[in-house]
Amino acid sequence: MKLIKIKLTLLILSASTLSHSQTFEEAKANFDNKHYLKAKEQFSKILKAKKDPLTNQYYALCQAQVAYTNYQFDESALLFKKCADDPKTDTKLKAFAEKGLSYASVASRQIRGVEKVQIIDSMVVDKQDFLKTYQLSSESGSVMSTDHFFGTSTGNFASVYQNQRKDKIYFAEKSDGNNFQLYTQNRLLDSWSEKTLLPDVINTKANENFPYVLTDGTTLYFASDGEGSIGGYDIFITRFNLTNNSYLAPENVGMPFNSIYNDYMMVIDEQNNIGWFASDRYQPEGKVVIYLFIPNESKQVYENETPDRLIRLAQLRSIKETWKKGANYQSLLDKIRNTDKSEDSQSYTKGAFRLVINDKLIYNNWIDFKNEDAKSAFKEAIQSGNKLLSIKNQLHKLREEYLSSDQTHREEVSNAILTLEKEVEELQTKQADLKLKAINLENQNLR
């Protein structure tokens, strides 16, 4: 009987140890996958059952990371520092704590100087095609993916900026170390010069990507996930010093442009006085939000705000909170949309449009058509285009509503967005087919 009790006790202890081990591994997996809140709850339960130094270290780092995610940067920095300074901290976790401390320290300074900028619109788009949203005036040059510009199919998430004269480009390319670095090239008579790597003050061992240069030819915006970032890609600015032919030390542009998520591709159209930047904050995989803003002539920061409101402004929880009282941005937004160069979003007024029939012929008026079926097809294409613009306006509003909604309402709004996005895709295909039909019919008539 005594032997049976001993075996039973050993069996219970063995099961308890196995259960503890499984629970720890589950919590660690959540930690490694950046599910810090869930990991924190799991490590807390383990500690209640059994005190363990390693579990306690993981729990403390979860606390620090959750505070960081909630923009409680001072608290986060203290917790990270405590772990980093503790000689008993596991080597791997110490490195994690030191990196977290670096992020939290920079973010703590930035939250005290959130820029007072008017974010006038936002839209959620596919990450793969986000650059199509940037509708610049011709004076501001153009941005596109590196694959599109170079005619490659690397699949790299990187971009090219080309100036107005089309004789200079800045672009990102993977180095031998497999990190993105920034290069520039100049157009020669009938070819491009050899690429030139931008200096070390810009290119680091981290990733540098998404360049854009103002019309002055010296002010460079780019994104980096290296030193000075507060998480993922952050937007930086530098200027070329013509006196000594070197770039100034890059500066982080701060909040609300940068967040604890990935923020990149800042572009400023000086002709229209409008700016864009992209972010994956609060977005599902494969989506990014594009923010449109009015650039400030000089930096202005929020003052005398409550901590909670300052966090909301830094996070851009509601872009309406950034608007000036009584301001109406519709005319500016309409102007930007009219700058749209893409085929699917052209707006045709009655008797005024531009349709390329062939290399020698462009139609600008209904009387130019020689074939009635071609004219009918193009009129239907215009109707599809007008409907397309209407749906896109609805999408703008829904995406803004999505950003300011709670989790429960977001699912409903998300479904509505997906439905409209499908309609947009169908209308774009229909419009393209109708335009092609009109062009082909007209060319047949001209033979």
Side-chain angles (χ1 to χ4, degrees), residues 103-122:
Y103 281 164
S105 299
V106 174
S108 180
R109 292 192 297 271
Q110 286 193 15
I111 196 71
R112 290 169 168 78
V114 178
E115 185 166 350
K116 196 174 184 179
V117 61
Q118 300 168 77
I119 310 290
I120 63 173
D121 200 6
S122 64

Side-chain angles (χ1 to χ4, degrees), residues 304-366:
N304 304 318
E305 299 288 350
T306 64
D308 286 346
R309 177 166 163 74
L310 199 57
I311 288 172
R312 284 183 60 81
L313 290 165
Q315 293 174 326
L316 292 179
R317 281 295 183 180
S318 171
I319 66 172
K320 287 183 178 179
E321 292 184 27
T322 71
W323 294 358
K324 284 188 176 180
K325 190 175 181 179
N328 187 340
Y329 304 109
Q330 194 57 51
S331 60
L332 180 56
L333 290 172
D334 289 342
K335 183 180 180 182
I336 299 305
R337 286 163 189 156
N338 287 335
T339 307
D340 195 339
K341 304 180 185 77
S342 63
E343 289 293 319
D344 61 270
S345 56
Q346 287 185 24
S347 177
Y348 303 96
T349 57
K350 186 176 181 181
F353 52 80
R354 186 175 186 273
L355 180 65
V356 179
I357 301 299
N358 53 48
D359 292 341
K360 299 178 181 178
L361 198 59
I362 297 175
Y363 286 0
N364 299 107
N365 203 293
W366 295 115

Side-chain angles (χ1 to χ4, degrees), residues 53-169:
L54 185 60
T55 303
N56 194 57
Q57 291 168 25
Y58 271 107
Y59 176 72
L61 287 175
C62 285
Q63 283 184 305
Q65 197 64 51
V66 169
Y68 187 77
T69 303
N70 292 331
Y71 276 53
Q72 304 294 333
F73 299 124
D74 288 345
E75 178 186 348
S76 176
L78 287 172
L79 290 166
F80 277 128
K81 189 174 189 308
K82 185 177 180 181
C83 291
D85 291 347
D86 189 344
K88 297 179 181 178
T89 299
D90 175 81
T91 304
K92 181 182 175 182
L93 297 185
K94 183 185 284 289
F96 182 94
E98 289 171 347
K99 187 175 182 179
L101 177 59
S102 174
Y103 281 164
S105 299
V106 174
S108 180
R109 292 192 297 271
Q110 286 193 15
I111 196 71
R112 290 169 168 78
V114 178
E115 185 166 350
K116 196 174 184 179
V117 61
Q118 300 168 77
I119 310 290
I120 63 173
D121 200 6
S122 64
M123 60 202 81
V124 178
V125 299
D126 289 335
K127 180 179 178 180
Q128 183 180 354
D129 298 319
F130 85 101
L131 285 168
K132 293 180 180 179
T133 312
Y134 289 64
Q135 301 301 334
L136 282 71
S137 62
S138 58
E139 293 85 355
S140 299
S142 56
V143 290
M144 64 202 81
S145 70
T146 51
D147 277 346
H148 178 82
F149 183 86
F150 292 109
T152 55
S153 55
T154 64
N156 288 337
F157 189 54
S159 70
V160 175
Y161 162 74
Q162 186 174 37
N163 66 358
Q164 178 195 10
R165 296 190 303 275
K166 301 184 184 300
D167 61 2
K168 193 176 186 69
I169 59 171

Side-chain angles (χ1 to χ4, degrees), residues 247-308:
Y247 281 94
L248 302 175
E251 295 181 4
N252 189 306
V253 299
M255 299 176 187
F257 304 108
N258 289 322
S259 69
I260 62 175
Y261 303 95
N262 288 299
D263 307 279
Y264 45 89
M265 201 67 259
M266 178 172 278
V267 168
I268 295 178
D269 185 335
E270 295 162 279
Q271 182 74 13
N272 289 320
N273 193 36
I274 193 76
W276 290 261
F277 70 98
S279 177
D280 64 9
R281 62 185 83 180
Y282 323 121
Q283 298 306 312
E285 186 69 27
K287 295 286 185 180
V288 296
V289 58
I290 309 297
Y291 292 104
L292 278 74
F293 67 96
I294 298 177
N296 290 320
E297 290 185 11
S298 59
K299 186 172 181 177
Q300 307 165 45
V301 300
Y302 287 101
E303 296 178 349
N304 304 318
E305 299 288 350
T306 64
D308 286 346

